[in-house]
């Protein structure tokens, strides 16, 4: 197999290497730092070899959570985490994380064991067409033809996962490769792939975009998670402040410019989208999250300036007035050059700013009124009000659940980029604990004082609740907050649930949205040695938050009981737009 360079210090090497050792060293050569998974036949030796070369292995309780964690590492660091899985069912479980990574455009590398090569098509243990199956969920799905080919394939998989639009890649390892010994001199290690190329937009298109922005009467800048991944925060903040632009972050675009910046119009989201005449789209897609860019959520004649690294995304659902193909950070710098040459600033006393500020105040007042309610059980806004007051400014917020996530993103503030992780483009529930574990592992290495706060609905927590054991085993100082309404979207109180169950078998009379009332999820945490709190009042919530945030060496779970029928304040439009195209 051809190599594009030997590893530093490589020469004539004596002795033998196992396939597992070749895999581990190949990953290490590509600057892979973290591996998540569940070991078993035939991949246990790969995890051991990875640890031997300095890769951190975090053993999880389910391959889905492992794949979610590895993908979050890719988003947070720009280098893919590895999800290590066994053959057949183990790989199938990880497909969820691969699909989620592809939809979110996050780098991920899944390494899966498979049946021995001499048993193919014989009904081998957990035999499954893994390479073929993964092609639907990844940018690259490949099996090395030999142990000698492993370094080449792994380099290509890592490179493919981070170049262009990031995504998932799969490398299949036959079981007999893992322990097979080869001469060390036959292995040609491949140098680490370089950082992704940084494409810039056509200068004429950039000039055209700047001209349209300067003529806008009601401009709006939308900041997506693609801008966060591109680490474009400095240039975007300069653009906002230099040009005086109102901006709206998407959920994971929060923090690229701080949520408390005076130009942030998140509290007037619907009004801003519906009436803007020029929208600059930075690393966000006109999909369901942004209501496809279509009326009635947008003006019929809105002019879209679309900036994206993926050519195929340009013009999706709405034809842009100007399409800027390139790296978000680089293209933002190009726009700034235009405005440096021809200085321009949108006035802060326009009618557009007046409309936005009035709407923001109205919505904020409505939220404050809900948060100030004294009735028990508490509502969402009361809970999030108290959480927001005590959260460290630099904490990473992980959030999932229906109302829990939707309401939480409007109340819980982010001030730094890449500090919010949620269900994302794919709307995937069950990602929370995997994401939190990944964030905590990365923070532990890079910023040990940073806290990870994972805010879950009770239904969402159930998808991966056993990962609490993983959190405690690795002693990750994660604060889990379960906002418990006894159901999916809405539940029932204990008395109503008792009446329902007296009518017959729960499988026939129990509302599908219902969960068992007043479940003590905090006991899952205490079962593994963490701290657990059962909370029913604002005072108890404040006390539990104070204790948990002060305890930096032990994981905590706060189980917050809320009104089972609690809901969002009235919305102008439903969050999930139904397309009528």
């Amino acid at each position: 197999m051809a190599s594009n360079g030997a590893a530093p210090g490589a020469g004539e090497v004596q002795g033998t290497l196992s396939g597992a050792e070749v895999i581990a060293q190949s990953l290490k050569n590509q600057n892979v730092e973290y591996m998540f998974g569940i070991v078993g036949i035939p991949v246990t030796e790969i995890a051991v070899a990875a640890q031997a070369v300095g890769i951190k292995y975090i053993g999880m309780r389910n391959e889905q959570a492992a794949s979610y964690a590895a993908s979050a590492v890719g988003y947070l660091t720009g280098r893919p985490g590895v999800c290590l899985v066994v053959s057949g069912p183990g790989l199938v479980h990880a497909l969820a994380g691969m699909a989620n990574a592809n939809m979110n455009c996050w780098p991920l590398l899944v390494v899966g064991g498979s049946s021995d090569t001499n048993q193919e098509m014989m009904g081998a243990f957990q035999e499954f067409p893994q390479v073929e199956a993964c092609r639907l969920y990844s940018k690259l799905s490949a099996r090395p033809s030999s142990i000698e080919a492993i370094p080449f394939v792994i380099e290509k998989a890592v490179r493919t996962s981070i170049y262009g639009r990031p995504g998932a890649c799969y490398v299949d390892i036959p079981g007999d490769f893992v322990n097979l010994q080869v001469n060390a001199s036959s292995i040609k290690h491949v140098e680490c792939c370089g950082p992704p190329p940084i494409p810039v937009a056509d200068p004429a298109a950039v000039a055209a975009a700047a001209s349209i922005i300067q003529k806008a009467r009601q401009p709006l800048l939308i900041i997506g998670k693609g801008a966060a991944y591109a680490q474009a925060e400095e240039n975007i903040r300069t653009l906002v402040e230099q040009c005086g632009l109102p901006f709206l972050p998407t959920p994971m675009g929060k923090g690229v410019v701080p949520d408390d910046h005076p130009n942030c119009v998140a509290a007037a989201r619907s009004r801003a989208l519906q009436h803007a005449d020029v929208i600059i789209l930075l690393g966000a897609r006109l999909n369901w999250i942004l209501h496809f860019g279509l009326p009635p959520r947008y003006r019929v004649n809105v002019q879209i300036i679309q900036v994206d690294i993926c050519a195929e995304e340009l013009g999706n659902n709405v034809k842009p007035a100007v399409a800027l193909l390139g790296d978000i950070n680089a293209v933002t710098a190009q726009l700034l050059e235009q405005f440096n040459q021809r200085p321009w600033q949108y006035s802060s006393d326009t009618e557009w700013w007046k409309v936005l500020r009035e709407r923001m105040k109205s919505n904020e007042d409505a939220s404050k009124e809900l948060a100030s309610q004294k009735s028990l059980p508490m509502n969402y806004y009361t809970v999030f009000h108290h959480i927001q007051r005590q959260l460290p400014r630099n904490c990473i917020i992980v959030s999932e659940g229906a109302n829990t996530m939707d309401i939480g993103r409007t109340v819980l503030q982010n001030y730094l980029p890449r500090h919010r992780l949620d269900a994302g483009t794919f709307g995937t529930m069950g990602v929370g604990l995997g994401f939190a574990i990944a964030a905590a592992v990365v923070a532990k290495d890079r910023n040990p004082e940073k806290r990870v706060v994972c805010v879950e609905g009770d239904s969402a927590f159930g998808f991966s609740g056993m990962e609490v054991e993983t959190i405690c085993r690795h002693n990750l100082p994660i604060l889990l907050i379960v906002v418990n309404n006894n159901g999916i979207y809405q539940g029932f109180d204990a008395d109503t649930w008792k009446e329902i169950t007296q009518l017959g078998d729960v499988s026939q009379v129990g509302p599908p949205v219902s969960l068992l009332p007043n479940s003590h999820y905090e006991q899952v945490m205490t079962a593994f040695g963490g701290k657990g709190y059962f909370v029913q009042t604002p005072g108890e919530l404040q006390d539990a938050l104070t204790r948990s945030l002060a305890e930096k060496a032990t994981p905590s779970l706060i189980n917050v009981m809320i009104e089972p029928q609690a809901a969002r304040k009235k919305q102008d439009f439903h969050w999930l737009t139904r397309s009528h195209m």
Side-chain angles (χ1 to χ4, degrees):
M1 177 62 64
S3 168
N4 59 358
E12 190 66 26
V13 182
Q14 303 299 316
T16 62
L17 291 171
S18 69
E21 291 172 318
V22 174
I23 294 164
Q25 188 59 55
S26 299
L27 293 170
K28 184 69 174 178
N29 289 346
Q30 299 306 317
N31 286 346
V32 168
E33 298 181 70
Y34 304 101
M35 178 182 286
F36 303 82
I38 298 178
V39 295
I41 298 171
V43 301
T44 302
E45 292 83 358
I46 297 175
V48 173
Q51 289 177 318
V53 298
I55 295 172
K56 295 191 174 182
Y57 174 77
I58 297 90
M60 305 285 282
R61 301 303 298 264
N62 184 281
E63 291 91 353
Q64 280 192 20
S67 60
Y68 296 145
S71 69
V73 163
Y75 174 65
L76 294 169
T77 70
R79 209 75 185 176
V82 169
C83 176
L84 179 69
V85 298
V86 299
S87 52
L91 184 276
V92 170
H93 291 168
L95 293 178
M98 295 176 69
N100 193 63
N102 258 12
M103 292 293 185
N104 274 340
C105 307
W106 290 358
L108 167 65
L109 178 58
V110 175
V111 175
S114 61
S115 306
D116 290 3
T117 53
N118 65 350
Q119 296 177 350
E120 286 186 9
M121 301 179 69
M122 295 177 64
F125 175 66
Q126 296 184 334
E127 186 173 5
F128 187 71
Q130 297 182 183
V131 175
E132 293 88 341
C134 288
R135 288 196 176 108
L136 284 174
Y137 303 92
S138 61
K139 295 180 68 179
L140 172 73
S141 182
R143 171 190 280 192
S145 58
S146 64
I147 292 179
E148 288 79 7
I150 286 172
F152 169 84
V153 173
I154 285 180
E155 186 276 341
K156 183 166 186 175
V158 170
R159 175 163 44 86
T160 302
S161 77
I162 62 176
Y163 276 35
R165 172 181 274 184
C169 291
Y170 174 67
V171 175
D172 192 72
I173 305 295
D176 50 324
F177 279 22
V178 175
N179 290 311
L180 185 65
Q181 300 286 319
V182 297
N183 289 327
S185 60
S186 70
I187 302 299
K188 303 298 187 286
H189 287 290
V190 181
E191 289 181 351
C192 183
C193 64
I198 301 177
V200 296
D202 177 7
V206 176
S211 177
I212 290 174
I213 295 169
Q214 289 173 324
K215 295 173 184 176
R217 297 173 62 86
Q218 296 175 181
L220 178 67
L221 179 67
I222 298 180
I223 303 171
K225 72 173 176 289
Y229 180 81
Q231 300 187 17
E233 51 267 20
E234 287 190 24
N235 279 333
I236 291 177
R237 182 163 186 167
T238 300
L239 180 67
V240 166
E241 294 177 347
Q242 183 172 319
C243 295
L245 293 169
F247 74 89
L248 174 70
T250 65
M252 274 190 276
K254 285 164 62 71
V256 171
V257 182
D259 283 346
D260 60 353
H261 192 283
N263 287 38
C264 181
V265 296
R269 182 182 189 275
S270 292
R271 188 61 53 89
L273 293 177
Q274 194 174 20
H275 296 287
D277 64 350
V278 172
I279 291 177
I280 307 101
L281 203 62
L282 293 180
R285 289 171 277 177
L286 292 175
N287 53 21
W288 68 274
I289 293 177
L290 288 175
H291 320 290
F292 313 108
L294 300 173
R297 301 301 301 265
Y298 293 77
R299 291 167 61 130
V300 173
N301 60 347
V302 63
Q303 291 184 284
I304 304 287
I305 297 169
Q306 190 175 9
V307 184
D308 205 285
I309 199 168
C310 177
E312 290 81 359
E313 187 62 39
L314 299 172
N316 215 17
N317 296 326
V318 175
K319 183 178 180 180
V322 180
L324 301 176
L325 176 63
D327 174 80
I328 306 299
N329 193 34
V331 175
T332 305
Q334 288 180 283
L335 285 169
L336 283 170
E337 288 178 12
Q338 290 289 322
F339 293 124
N340 287 334
Q341 294 170 10
R342 295 182 294 167
W344 172 83
Q345 186 173 64
Y346 185 69
S347 175
S348 61
D349 61 0
T350 61
E351 185 64 24
W352 178 229
W353 264 120
K354 180 181 177 182
V355 167
L356 292 174
R357 290 183 180 121
E358 286 177 352
R359 188 62 174 181
M360 289 167 63
K361 185 177 186 308
S362 173
N363 285 340
E364 287 166 353
D365 288 346
S367 295
K368 287 177 182 176
E369 182 179 351
L370 288 166
S372 66
Q373 291 181 3
K374 306 296 184 183
S375 59
L376 294 176
M378 295 179 283
N379 64 46
Y380 285 101
Y381 293 88
T382 301
V383 170
F384 289 131
H385 168 72
H386 290 290
I387 294 173
Q388 173 59 31
R389 287 179 60 185
Q390 295 202 44
L391 285 185
R393 189 174 175 88
N394 71 337
C395 74
I396 297 174
I397 299 173
V398 181
S399 184
E400 64 171 334
N403 290 329
T404 298
M405 183 176 67
D406 291 347
I407 299 171
R409 70 181 170 83
T410 68
V411 181
L412 303 180
Q413 302 290 286
N414 288 94
Y415 309 105
L416 295 169
R418 298 169 296 283
H419 277 58
R420 178 180 167 87
L421 299 164
D422 64 25
T425 306
F426 211 22
T428 309
M429 293 299 152
V431 297
L433 271 68
F435 283 1
I437 289 167
V441 167
V442 172
K444 192 174 182 180
D445 287 343
R446 305 187 180 198
N447 192 337
E449 295 302 311
K450 193 179 294 294
R451 297 303 301 272
V452 176
V453 179
C454 183
V455 186
E456 301 264 301
D458 50 330
S459 171
F461 176 76
F463 280 83
S464 54
M466 275 301 293
E467 298 301 338
V468 168
E469 187 274 334
T470 307
I471 291 170
C472 290
R473 180 168 17 108
H474 288 273
N475 199 31
L476 300 172
I478 295 170
L479 169 55
L480 288 169
I481 302 172
V482 178
V483 183
N484 189 350
N485 70 348
N486 303 335
I488 302 169
Y489 302 110
Q490 293 179 325
F492 295 94
D493 60 38
D495 291 338
T496 304
W497 179 249
K498 184 177 180 181
E499 293 173 3
I500 291 171
T501 56
Q502 287 174 344
L503 298 175
D505 190 303
V506 171
S507 64
Q508 293 182 305
V509 302
V513 297
S514 300
L515 298 174
L516 192 67
N518 305 331
S519 295
H520 282 264
Y521 299 111
E522 78 284 353
Q523 293 181 8
V524 178
M525 180 64 81
T526 59
F528 298 115
K531 299 288 181 68
Y533 303 89
F534 185 76
V535 163
Q536 295 177 292
T537 69
E540 291 172 350
L541 176 57
Q542 291 173 38
D543 181 63
L545 285 165
T546 300
R547 289 169 179 257
S548 298
L549 290 169
E551 182 59 73
K552 296 184 178 180
T554 306
S556 301
L557 191 154
I558 304 174
N559 184 18
V560 186
M561 303 307 303
I562 67 166
E563 166 57 50
Q565 295 292 309
R568 298 186 67 180
K569 65 181 177 64
K570 190 177 185 301
Q571 304 293 300
D572 288 343
F573 293 94
H574 193 274
W575 169 248
L576 183 60
T577 299
R578 302 292 182 184
S579 175
H580 299 292
M581 293 184 66

Short mmCIF file of all heavy atoms in Angstrom, two decimals, residues 223 232-243 256-258 261-262 332 415:
data_model
loop_
_atom_site.label_atom_id
_atom_site.label_comp_id
_atom_site.label_asym_id
_atom_site.label_seq_id
_atom_site.Cartn_x
_atom_site.Cartn_y
_atom_site.Cartn_z
N ILE A 223 -26.77 33.31 12.84
CA ILE A 223 -25.52 32.62 13.16
C ILE A 223 -25.83 31.17 13.48
O ILE A 223 -26.53 30.87 14.45
CB ILE A 223 -24.81 33.29 14.35
CG1 ILE A 223 -24.55 34.77 14.06
CG2 ILE A 223 -23.51 32.57 14.67
CD1 ILE A 223 -24.04 35.55 15.26
N ALA A 232 -15.43 30.98 14.11
CA ALA A 232 -15.50 32.29 13.46
C ALA A 232 -15.93 33.39 14.41
O ALA A 232 -16.30 34.48 13.97
CB ALA A 232 -16.46 32.21 12.28
N GLU A 233 -15.88 33.15 15.70
CA GLU A 233 -16.48 34.09 16.66
C GLU A 233 -15.88 35.49 16.63
O GLU A 233 -16.60 36.49 16.74
CB GLU A 233 -16.43 33.52 18.08
CG GLU A 233 -15.08 33.02 18.54
CD GLU A 233 -14.87 31.53 18.29
OE1 GLU A 233 -15.58 30.96 17.44
OE2 GLU A 233 -13.98 30.94 18.94
N GLU A 234 -14.58 35.61 16.49
CA GLU A 234 -13.97 36.95 16.52
C GLU A 234 -14.42 37.78 15.33
O GLU A 234 -14.81 38.95 15.48
CB GLU A 234 -12.44 36.83 16.56
CG GLU A 234 -11.90 36.38 17.91
CD GLU A 234 -10.39 36.50 17.98
OE1 GLU A 234 -9.81 37.32 17.22
OE2 GLU A 234 -9.78 35.77 18.77
N ASN A 235 -14.35 37.21 14.15
CA ASN A 235 -14.75 37.96 12.95
C ASN A 235 -16.24 38.27 12.94
O ASN A 235 -16.65 39.36 12.52
CB ASN A 235 -14.37 37.18 11.69
CG ASN A 235 -12.90 37.35 11.32
OD1 ASN A 235 -12.28 38.35 11.65
ND2 ASN A 235 -12.35 36.37 10.63
N ILE A 236 -17.06 37.33 13.41
CA ILE A 236 -18.50 37.57 13.41
C ILE A 236 -18.86 38.66 14.41
O ILE A 236 -19.69 39.53 14.13
CB ILE A 236 -19.27 36.26 13.69
CG1 ILE A 236 -19.12 35.32 12.50
CG2 ILE A 236 -20.75 36.55 13.95
CD1 ILE A 236 -19.77 33.96 12.70
N ARG A 237 -18.24 38.62 15.58
CA ARG A 237 -18.54 39.67 16.56
C ARG A 237 -18.10 41.04 16.02
O ARG A 237 -18.80 42.05 16.20
CB ARG A 237 -17.85 39.39 17.89
CG ARG A 237 -18.17 40.43 18.96
CD ARG A 237 -17.84 39.97 20.35
NE ARG A 237 -18.29 40.94 21.33
CZ ARG A 237 -18.36 40.71 22.64
NH1 ARG A 237 -18.06 39.51 23.12
NH2 ARG A 237 -18.76 41.65 23.47
N THR A 238 -16.96 41.07 15.34
CA THR A 238 -16.51 42.33 14.75
C THR A 238 -17.50 42.82 13.70
O THR A 238 -17.82 44.01 13.63
CB THR A 238 -15.11 42.15 14.11
OG1 THR A 238 -14.19 41.75 15.11
CG2 THR A 238 -14.63 43.45 13.48
N LEU A 239 -18.01 41.90 12.89
CA LEU A 239 -18.99 42.26 11.86
C LEU A 239 -20.26 42.83 12.51
O LEU A 239 -20.80 43.85 12.06
CB LEU A 239 -19.33 41.03 11.01
CG LEU A 239 -20.35 41.23 9.89
CD1 LEU A 239 -19.77 42.14 8.80
CD2 LEU A 239 -20.75 39.88 9.28
N VAL A 240 -20.75 42.17 13.55
CA VAL A 240 -21.95 42.63 14.26
C VAL A 240 -21.75 44.04 14.79
O VAL A 240 -22.61 44.93 14.60
CB VAL A 240 -22.30 41.65 15.40
CG1 VAL A 240 -23.32 42.28 16.36
CG2 VAL A 240 -22.84 40.35 14.85
N GLU A 241 -20.64 44.26 15.45
CA GLU A 241 -20.43 45.54 16.13
C GLU A 241 -20.03 46.65 15.16
O GLU A 241 -20.48 47.79 15.30
CB GLU A 241 -19.38 45.36 17.22
CG GLU A 241 -19.88 44.43 18.34
CD GLU A 241 -18.84 44.16 19.40
OE1 GLU A 241 -17.64 44.48 19.16
OE2 GLU A 241 -19.21 43.63 20.47
N GLN A 242 -19.21 46.31 14.17
CA GLN A 242 -18.78 47.33 13.21
C GLN A 242 -19.94 47.80 12.34
O GLN A 242 -20.04 49.00 12.02
CB GLN A 242 -17.66 46.76 12.34
CG GLN A 242 -17.07 47.76 11.35
CD GLN A 242 -15.84 47.19 10.66
OE1 GLN A 242 -15.01 46.55 11.29
NE2 GLN A 242 -15.72 47.43 9.36
N CYS A 243 -20.82 46.87 11.99
CA CYS A 243 -21.92 47.20 11.09
C CYS A 243 -23.24 47.43 11.83
O CYS A 243 -24.25 47.79 11.20
CB CYS A 243 -22.10 46.11 10.04
SG CYS A 243 -20.69 45.95 8.93
N VAL A 256 -21.66 32.24 19.95
CA VAL A 256 -20.67 32.73 19.00
C VAL A 256 -20.49 34.23 19.23
O VAL A 256 -19.37 34.75 19.29
CB VAL A 256 -21.09 32.43 17.55
CG1 VAL A 256 -20.19 33.13 16.55
CG2 VAL A 256 -21.06 30.92 17.31
N VAL A 257 -21.60 34.93 19.36
CA VAL A 257 -21.63 36.26 19.96
C VAL A 257 -22.49 36.08 21.22
O VAL A 257 -23.53 35.43 21.17
CB VAL A 257 -22.25 37.31 19.02
CG1 VAL A 257 -22.21 38.70 19.66
CG2 VAL A 257 -21.50 37.32 17.69
N PRO A 258 -22.07 36.61 22.37
CA PRO A 258 -22.78 36.32 23.62
C PRO A 258 -24.27 36.64 23.55
O PRO A 258 -24.69 37.60 22.91
CB PRO A 258 -22.07 37.22 24.64
CG PRO A 258 -20.70 37.43 24.08
CD PRO A 258 -20.87 37.46 22.59
N HIS A 261 -25.43 40.13 24.38
CA HIS A 261 -24.96 41.25 23.55
C HIS A 261 -26.17 42.11 23.17
O HIS A 261 -27.25 41.58 22.87
CB HIS A 261 -24.27 40.71 22.30
CG HIS A 261 -23.53 41.75 21.52
ND1 HIS A 261 -24.16 42.67 20.71
CD2 HIS A 261 -22.19 42.01 21.44
CE1 HIS A 261 -23.25 43.45 20.15
NE2 HIS A 261 -22.04 43.07 20.58
N PRO A 262 -26.04 43.43 23.18
CA PRO A 262 -27.19 44.29 22.88
C PRO A 262 -27.78 44.09 21.49
O PRO A 262 -28.93 44.46 21.25
CB PRO A 262 -26.62 45.71 23.03
CG PRO A 262 -25.14 45.57 23.00
CD PRO A 262 -24.84 44.22 23.55
N THR A 332 -16.39 35.67 6.31
CA THR A 332 -16.71 36.81 7.18
C THR A 332 -15.58 37.84 7.14
O THR A 332 -15.82 39.05 7.11
CB THR A 332 -16.96 36.34 8.62
OG1 THR A 332 -17.97 35.34 8.64
CG2 THR A 332 -17.41 37.51 9.50
N TYR A 415 -22.62 32.34 26.58
CA TYR A 415 -21.77 33.51 26.37
C TYR A 415 -20.48 33.18 25.62
O TYR A 415 -19.72 34.09 25.29
CB TYR A 415 -21.42 34.13 27.73
CG TYR A 415 -22.63 34.38 28.59
CD1 TYR A 415 -22.92 33.55 29.68
CD2 TYR A 415 -23.52 35.42 28.31
CE1 TYR A 415 -24.05 33.76 30.46
CE2 TYR A 415 -24.65 35.64 29.08
CZ TYR A 415 -24.91 34.80 30.16
OH TYR A 415 -26.03 35.00 30.93
#
